[in-house]
Amino acid sequence: MAQLWGGRFTKETDQLVYNFNASIGFDQKFYRQDIRGSIAHVKMLAKQEILTEQERDQIIGGLEGILSDVEAGKLRITSEYEDIHSFVEANLIDRIGDAGKKLHTGRSRNDQVALDMKLFIRDEITELDGLVKELLEVIERIMEENLHTYMPGFTHLQKAQPVTLAHHMGAYFEMFRRDRGRLHDIFERMNYCPLGSGALAGTTYPLDREYTAELLGFYGPTANSMDSVSDRDYVIELLSAMSTVMMHLSRFSEEIITWNTNEYRFVEIDDAYSTGSSIMPQKKNPDIAELVRGKTGRVYGALMSVLTTMKGLPLAYNKDMQEDKELTFDALDTVKGCLALFTGMIDTMKFRKDVMEASAKNGFTNATDAADYLVGKGVPFRDAHGIVGRLVLACIDKNCSLDDLPLEEFRSYSPVFGEDIYDAISMKTCVEKRMTAGAPGAEAMEQVIAANREYLQGGRG
């Protein structure tokens, strides 16, 4: 058992205790971050003349050799080591001898793991940001192609008023845009370096924490050594942000599942993103959308688990905090996989524009516009509401839409109806006359799309 401690102990750790305590099975993900942090630490120690330049070069050469060998598959990270830190340090000592024993000068595993986790999460946020941006680019393309694709908008899952597919997709654009903003905010808050905090109370060595932070791309060192080693706020924030991403993906998936049903037929999911049935040959199932919807609970569970783990911990570091890693790693893999697959699914999905428009027309989504037409002719709105309500009942009895009623029937309910009623309640008019900011009219949507395009050409968040 390769451990970084033992002088205080007179016998070996029980194997079951060792296995229970060890984190190498999951924190081996940190090997790049651990080596990167160690190289920065050694450069700082040499700058402060705590190490000689020769020792610095020996240690850095050894660390770079370990990284190269792990990446090439020549060196395996095995359970013989307690954690990734002991793996790196033990192999370094094997390679360069006593100089390797000076690597840990001025630091603790507590600030070391805090650094590794921050470096790892920072890289993951950058990757997540890229995946969300790719999804936004696909949504933007669908919006640009469907400015005049009319469809029903819903409240309570009931057809309400006509909108366009561009407008409907634009709602999701806003949601995922805010998700990118949350990731950006987390990055900004967490980007301070804990290395140099020691176990909890800093160190007596004359470390230059600003220099270490600069080498690792942080904005500066953390301000309190106890907070530095016991802070996992940024992990909770990330899990919360990822839960929100998954909630948005799940809502979108729910709609796609509904739209894919035989009753709606709004969309055709590409064969590459569908599956069949082992017994029913006619089936084409929206499994990707269903799995995304299902995996949302998995990410929520990680958030609740870490919140529960952290809620009763006194300062500073406690071993309980080791539990953040597996949960966060799993949540990250889940969210990244869902984003990539969902983006591919909607990028290849076909929209049945004629079915969407017919659904809006036959669902009386133009009823409000018919009432507004009467108001424009001097009829009080409450009376207009009642007149159109009775017209809708008549259409239901006749199994037709408002557009299909003859003018004589309109006039039998109110004499103010004229030939212009048909233009007033056409899908095109109902949508295009809604031109206020945020509305589905083409003029308003063109401005939104132009702003979206400019946003996507910018940087993070």
Side-chain angles (χ1 to χ4, degrees):
M1 295 183 283
Q3 297 168 320
L4 300 180
W5 49 271
R8 162 69 175 77
F9 292 79
T10 58
K11 64 179 180 179
E12 285 286 318
T13 306
D14 182 272
Q15 188 62 50
L16 287 175
V17 173
Y18 179 84
N19 294 342
F20 189 69
N21 190 58
S23 58
I24 192 69
F26 47 87
D27 72 12
Q28 62 181 279
K29 274 181 177 282
F30 288 159
Y31 74 88
R32 291 188 191 90
Q33 288 80 14
D34 198 76
I35 291 173
R36 182 182 174 196
S38 291
I39 289 173
H41 181 64
V42 167
K43 287 180 178 179
M44 181 275 297
L45 292 175
K47 174 181 175 293
Q48 298 301 100
E49 299 183 350
I50 298 167
L51 294 181
T52 67
E53 291 185 1
Q54 182 181 5
E55 288 170 332
R56 176 198 63 193
D57 294 344
Q58 271 187 283
I59 294 171
I60 290 175
L63 289 170
E64 289 175 343
I66 291 169
L67 177 61
S68 177
D69 286 350
V70 171
E71 304 247 296
K74 296 177 183 178
L75 179 61
R76 290 180 60 245
I77 304 172
T78 68
S79 59
E80 136 187 31
Y81 302 95
E82 182 181 7
D83 52 34
I84 191 61
H85 322 303
S86 58
F87 165 81
V88 171
E89 189 168 336
N91 275 277
L92 180 67
I93 293 168
D94 284 346
R95 292 180 180 218
I96 68 170
D98 284 348
K101 296 177 182 179
K102 298 186 177 183
L103 170 64
H104 208 55
T105 306
R107 72 177 182 182
S108 162
R109 279 194 301 179
N110 292 359
D111 60 346
Q112 192 177 356
V113 72
L115 173 69
D116 289 0
M117 190 67 167
K118 276 199 169 183
L119 290 173
F120 181 82
I121 294 298
R122 200 173 65 177
D123 291 342
E124 291 293 309
I125 287 175
T126 300
E127 189 173 347
L128 279 169
D129 178 76
L131 287 167
V132 177
K133 185 178 181 183
E134 287 174 16
L135 174 57
L136 285 169
E137 288 168 345
V138 172
I139 293 174
E140 168 76 356
R141 176 187 61 75
I142 295 171
M143 290 173 68
E144 290 177 3
E145 294 173 357
N146 290 280
L147 269 173
H148 303 287
T149 300
Y150 305 121
M151 65 174 289
F154 296 83
T155 62
H156 309 281
L157 269 182
Q158 303 292 307
K159 295 174 186 176
Q161 291 181 303
V163 294
T164 63
L165 180 56
H167 190 243
H168 194 107
M169 297 296 283
Y172 285 108
F173 189 99
E174 295 303 316
M175 295 180 204
F176 291 115
R177 176 176 180 161
R178 290 193 296 272
D179 288 331
R180 281 192 83 204
R182 274 182 276 273
L183 292 171
H184 173 76
D185 292 344
I186 296 165
F187 188 101
E188 291 296 299
R189 264 190 298 279
M190 69 168 284
N191 197 34
Y192 291 87
C193 183
L195 200 60
S197 299
L200 79 159
T203 176
T204 57
Y205 292 97
L207 307 184
D208 186 341
R209 294 190 63 210
E210 287 79 8
Y211 180 67
T212 308
E214 181 184 343
L215 288 176
L216 292 169
F218 288 102
Y219 298 147
T222 49
N224 182 283
S225 59
M226 293 181 76
D227 175 62
S228 301
V229 297
S230 61
D231 163 37
R232 293 298 183 271
D233 299 7
Y234 64 95
V235 174
I236 292 168
E237 282 193 272
L238 177 61
L239 288 169
S240 177
M242 291 194 297
S243 293
T244 305
V245 170
M246 289 301 296
M247 179 267 289
H248 290 150
L249 287 174
S250 185
R251 293 183 70 183
F252 205 161
S253 293
E254 173 69 16
E255 293 203 314
I256 290 170
I257 292 163
T258 302
W259 292 355
N260 186 66
T261 61
N262 294 332
E263 288 72 21
Y264 274 85
R265 297 186 299 111
F266 282 8
V267 298
E268 175 76 22
I269 299 175
D270 192 84
D271 286 357
Y273 292 90
S274 304
T275 63
S277 165
S278 64
I279 188 172
M280 297 169 284
Q282 82 280 12
K283 295 294 294 296
K284 185 176 180 182
N285 299 325
D287 280 11
I288 296 303
E290 290 174 352
L291 279 170
V292 168
R293 186 177 60 181
K295 287 180 183 292
T296 300
R298 185 169 178 159
V299 179
Y300 287 5
L303 171 61
M304 291 309 301
S305 293
V306 176
L307 280 168
T308 305
T309 297
M310 294 298 297
K311 74 175 184 64
L313 298 187
L315 291 176
Y317 181 80
N318 297 269
K319 194 69 170 184
D320 314 47
M321 294 164 66
Q322 183 170 287
E323 288 298 300
D324 67 341
K325 292 167 191 60
E326 286 181 282
L327 293 160
T328 303
F329 297 161
D330 181 76
L332 281 162
D333 289 343
T334 299
V335 175
K336 289 189 295 184
C338 287
L339 280 167
L341 285 166
F342 188 90
T343 300
M345 178 180 67
I346 67 166
D347 192 30
T348 56
M349 195 163 62
K350 300 293 189 296
F351 295 94
R352 298 181 182 273
K353 301 181 182 183
D354 56 336
V355 176
M356 287 179 159
E357 183 168 353
S359 178
K361 180 178 175 182
N362 295 329
F364 307 110
T365 59
N366 50 2
T368 301
D369 296 270
D372 288 342
Y373 170 88
L374 290 173
V375 171
K377 299 287 186 176
V379 179
F381 179 78
R382 191 51 58 203
D383 293 340
H385 188 284
I387 290 167
V388 175
R390 291 192 293 276
L391 278 166
V392 168
L393 276 176
C395 289
I396 292 171
D397 288 341
K398 297 174 185 293
N399 194 28
C400 68
S401 68
L402 285 171
D403 309 61
D404 296 328
L405 288 176
L407 183 59
E408 294 76 24
E409 183 135 13
F410 274 110
R411 285 177 170 164
S412 71
Y413 287 86
S414 174
V416 305
F417 279 113
E419 286 284 353
D420 56 347
I421 181 60
Y422 297 106
D423 179 62
I425 63 173
S426 72
M427 290 297 106
K428 179 177 173 60
T429 302
C430 290
V431 171
E432 298 305 330
K433 71 182 182 183
R434 287 177 162 82
M435 296 182 292
T436 53
E443 186 177 320
M445 285 304 303
E446 283 170 354
Q447 294 177 21
V448 169
I449 287 170
N452 289 349
R453 195 179 298 119
E454 183 178 351
Y455 159 76
L456 288 171
Q457 289 169 353
R460 184 201 304 265

